[in-house]
Amino acid sequence: MPKIEKTVLQNDPNEAESGARKPKTPGQSQENKSFCLDDHSPESQHEVLSVTDLIETVNEVSKLSIAHEIVVNQDFYVEESVLPPNSLEGRIMEMMYNAFWDHLEDQLSSIPPNFTCALELLKEVKEILLSLLLPRQNYLRNEIEEALDMDLLKQEAEHEALDVPHLSNYILNLMIRLCAPVRDEAVQKLESITDPVQLLKGIFHVLGLMKMDMVNYTIQNLRPYLQEHSVQYERTKFQQLLNKQPSLLDCTTKWLIKTAIDLTTPSPSSPDSPRSSRMACSPPNWAANNSELPSSTMVLYEGYVNLLLWDSDIEEFPETLLMDRMRLREIESQLNQLTILASVLLVARSFSGNILFSTPKFLDKLKYITKALMEEFNPRPEEAMVSVSEQVSYEIHQGLKNMGLTALSSEKTASLIGQLQNIAEKENCVRSIIDQRSRFFLKCCLVHGMQESLLDFPGGLILIKEELAELGWKFVNLMHHNQQVFSPYYEEILKDIIPPAQAQEKEVESI
């Protein structure tokens, strides 16, 4: 078969997945799947899924994941998939691709010509062209059906009268009428090709791109409808999966139980970290612990914030949030970067004073430099902070000099550099405080809403207010959508965690 350009779903133009498959470790067991399926061991209480049921489940998960992606990700689109030229898969595909077109050329060049492959190509081209039509284009649909009548074309082939170049030109003219403006140039280039095999080859390549354009057009038109009905659709699809997989909420239940315990009885070893205690498997005994009962909403919101500190080596991700796992990891990464940035700016301001930092141009320049130098922070934090400290101290020296202010002494410069380099340590005091306040802000955004939270912005974070607010909007929108979809399941789980006698939902006046 000819190679029609494969497409890959993308979340962002900068995110292209590698074709390589990595071996899974226990901590990566949920990395590349939307919902976990039971192992169905002999001890399992559930029936083993048949092959048909398994295929149906995979299809349902795929539908749910795509619909969810379209709704929550405005940048979701389909793009051409290009295999690495030196990869095994790429080499095999290229060999098969070339072999097919060489075979077609041999068939058409033989005497008498053999039209077997050509007919299969024309049949596939006809199906693609029909798929590109809008429902109202009945006249064009009838025209294609008549011009590419496969029964008639087979008769012509049997009498050695099939005119492949003529049909190729007809198809090319149709493509000119149907393609998006962005494909005009690619279609026009095909008009200069005279070799029938090379022309068909080019036609299939461009038709693949046109199919991709139609998919993206359909996504754009479906998005408003999906956004309107997404909550009910996702909930219905999840319930169908839950009916087949009764254990599909096990990790979600553990997550909520652990969150409820951590709200009232934090681990003495590390009270601020949700990583500090093992995932609880049974509900807490509130009466025995004489603990103040948290509201179910507060348990859920605390659980959402805890997802930004998730340790995949210890805990399995909640099933209800697996579709957003990569987005949450990206938010976590951005939050960590903002924490480092705010820490650098606070330390720098404490040495240079408010006058220099009240200049927007200087502050923006310092942010830009720090962000650029922090790109290597995760693999080499100490080295990155050495570069940051040297450049920031230089910029402060130049800034004070340009404003006619007193420059830092050598002792203060050394102290500034030392404190900036200490930010590489996770236990750094400034970094820890900024991290806690940033997560507190995100929790406030969930509880009180963005507008009220922005009016009462945490101290020490004002230098990154714009960036943190943007991240807050992204986090809140994502979590509120999740809450809308899965709230009935959360309420049912929390009803068993929080005793019914005390489970009245309390209004949250403060956190």
Side-chain angles (χ1 to χ4, degrees):
M1 293 300 292
K3 181 176 74 173
I4 297 180
E5 294 305 315
K6 294 173 66 178
T7 57
V8 60
L9 305 181
Q10 290 293 338
N11 297 341
D12 187 272
N14 297 323
E15 295 178 3
E17 290 186 354
S18 169
R21 295 176 65 91
K22 299 180 180 179
K24 294 180 181 179
T25 63
Q28 297 171 316
S29 60
Q30 293 179 311
E31 185 70 24
N32 296 315
K33 54 187 177 179
S34 294
F35 292 104
C36 58
L37 298 177
D38 281 341
D39 294 334
H40 300 294
S41 58
E43 295 81 6
S44 175
Q45 297 291 327
H46 311 302
E47 295 182 1
V48 178
L49 290 176
S50 66
V51 175
T52 302
D53 289 338
L54 186 59
I55 293 174
E56 290 178 357
T57 300
V58 171
N59 289 335
E60 292 301 317
V61 169
S62 178
K63 291 177 184 178
L64 175 58
S65 299
I66 292 174
H68 179 76
E69 197 70 33
I70 293 173
V71 170
V72 302
N73 184 6
Q74 297 299 313
D75 296 323
F76 178 80
Y77 69 103
V78 179
E79 71 170 5
E80 182 181 0
S81 175
V82 180
L83 294 172
N86 296 325
S87 67
L88 177 61
E89 185 180 3
R91 291 198 301 269
I92 292 175
M93 287 295 295
E94 193 64 27
M95 289 172 59
M96 295 175 62
Y97 180 60
N98 292 332
F100 172 84
W101 291 109
D102 290 343
H103 181 60
L104 174 63
E105 188 171 10
D106 292 340
Q107 283 193 342
L108 295 179
S109 301
S110 64
I111 300 176
N114 184 341
F115 295 107
T116 304
C117 283
L119 286 172
E120 289 298 322
L121 282 175
L122 292 172
K123 180 181 178 181
E124 193 165 346
V125 166
K126 177 183 176 181
E127 292 173 355
I128 296 173
L129 289 171
L130 291 174
S131 72
L132 297 175
L133 299 179
L134 298 174
R136 63 176 181 273
Q137 294 178 299
N138 293 322
Y139 177 81
L140 196 53
R141 189 181 306 277
N142 294 333
E143 179 187 320
I144 294 173
E145 291 282 4
E146 182 178 345
L148 297 177
D149 185 333
M150 295 312 301
D151 292 333
L152 179 60
L153 294 180
K154 286 179 182 178
Q155 293 179 16
E156 292 180 358
E158 290 172 357
H159 294 85
E160 302 177 15
L162 186 65
D163 191 345
V164 175
H166 171 75
L167 290 171
S168 297
N169 286 324
Y170 170 75
I171 293 168
L172 190 57
N173 290 329
L174 273 177
M175 291 169 64
I176 293 174
R177 296 161 64 181
L178 293 174
C179 73
V182 71
R183 304 300 173 197
D184 285 344
E185 183 179 353
V187 176
Q188 288 171 4
K189 287 182 179 179
L190 297 178
E191 295 179 307
S192 61
I193 301 176
T194 56
D195 182 85
V197 174
Q198 293 300 318
L199 180 57
L200 281 173
K201 188 177 180 180
I203 284 173
F204 265 91
H205 172 74
V206 178
L207 279 175
L209 299 177
M210 290 172 63
K211 284 180 66 177
M212 181 181 67
D213 295 337
M214 177 56 73
V215 170
N216 287 327
Y217 172 79
T218 304
I219 288 174
Q220 289 180 352
N221 284 275
L222 275 177
R223 180 170 281 119
Y225 175 83
L226 285 175
Q227 288 174 334
E228 183 178 353
H229 302 281
S230 62
V231 171
Q232 188 58 47
Y233 176 82
E234 290 186 40
R235 188 182 298 165
T236 300
K237 287 295 179 184
F238 184 82
Q239 183 61 50
Q240 292 172 358
L241 293 170
L242 187 61
N243 293 339
K244 297 178 181 179
Q245 185 81 19
S247 63
L248 199 55
L249 286 171
D250 285 359
C251 296
T252 302
T253 302
K254 293 178 182 178
W255 162 60
L256 291 175
I257 290 174
K258 178 182 181 296
T259 302
I261 293 175
D262 286 352
L263 270 175
T264 54
T265 55
S267 170
S269 61
S270 180
D272 296 324
S273 174
R275 306 183 186 187
S276 59
S277 59
R278 295 187 59 186
M279 181 70 77
C281 297
S282 58
N285 187 341
W286 303 108
N289 296 335
N290 195 25
S291 303
E292 181 183 350
L293 190 72
S295 70
S296 59
T297 302
M298 289 304 298
V299 171
L300 181 60
Y301 288 167
E302 182 73 14
Y304 282 152
V305 176
N306 288 350
L307 294 173
L308 301 180
L309 283 170
W310 202 262
D311 190 342
S312 57
D313 292 331
I314 300 176
E315 305 157 342
E316 289 188 286
F317 215 73
E319 299 92 343
T320 54
L321 286 137
L322 277 174
M323 291 186 295
D324 294 316
R325 183 173 187 177
M326 294 308 296
R327 270 178 285 272
L328 287 167
R329 291 181 68 174
E330 178 62 24
I331 291 174
E332 178 185 1
S333 175
Q334 293 177 11
L335 185 63
N336 291 335
Q337 292 174 11
L338 288 180
T339 297
I340 302 299
L341 176 61
S343 302
V344 169
L345 296 177
L346 275 178
V347 170
R349 188 177 66 175
S350 69
F351 279 83
S352 61
N354 293 328
I355 297 178
L356 189 59
F357 272 75
S358 63
T359 307
K361 185 177 180 180
F362 175 81
L363 181 58
D364 291 341
K365 182 179 181 181
L366 209 57
K367 283 184 179 181
Y368 176 81
I369 292 172
T370 304
K371 289 177 182 178
L373 294 175
M374 279 169 44
E375 291 181 358
E376 297 296 321
F377 185 86
N378 284 334
R380 295 184 295 273
E382 290 81 8
E383 294 179 22
M385 289 313 300
V386 168
S387 301
V388 169
S389 63
E390 292 175 351
Q391 192 62 38
V392 168
S393 63
Y394 171 78
E395 293 297 332
I396 289 177
H397 176 79
Q398 289 297 115
L400 292 173
K401 181 180 177 181
N402 293 339
M403 295 184 70
L405 300 173
T406 304
L408 297 181
S409 64
S410 57
E411 292 81 5
K412 284 191 175 182
T413 301
S415 179
L416 169 62
I417 292 175
Q419 290 192 34
L420 289 175
Q421 292 180 4
N422 287 338
I423 294 174
E425 303 294 332
K426 289 184 178 180
E427 298 78 14
N428 177 265
C429 180
V430 176
R431 179 176 169 181
S432 297
I433 293 174
I434 295 298
D435 181 69
Q436 291 173 12
R437 291 184 180 180
S438 298
R439 297 177 194 280
F440 178 81
F441 170 75
L442 293 181
K443 186 175 179 181
C444 286
C445 293
L446 287 171
V447 177
H448 299 301
M450 285 298 302
Q451 297 298 339
E452 184 176 343
S453 300
L454 288 173
L455 292 176
D456 189 22
F457 204 74
L461 302 182
I462 196 67
L463 295 175
I464 58 165
K465 182 176 182 178
E466 182 179 344
E467 295 87 348
L468 191 56
E470 181 180 350
L471 191 65
W473 277 111
K474 186 186 301 185
F475 180 69
V476 168
N477 289 336
L478 191 63
M479 294 300 95
H480 278 174
H481 179 78
N482 178 271
Q483 184 182 10
Q484 286 181 301
V485 174
F486 296 104
S487 57
Y489 304 101
Y490 294 148
E491 290 170 4
E492 187 67 23
I493 294 170
L494 291 170
K495 180 183 69 176
D496 296 330
I497 296 175
I498 301 175
Q502 299 175 316
Q504 307 95 316
E505 193 70 25
K506 295 180 288 186
E507 293 294 329
V508 181
E509 298 179 358
S510 61
I511 303 178

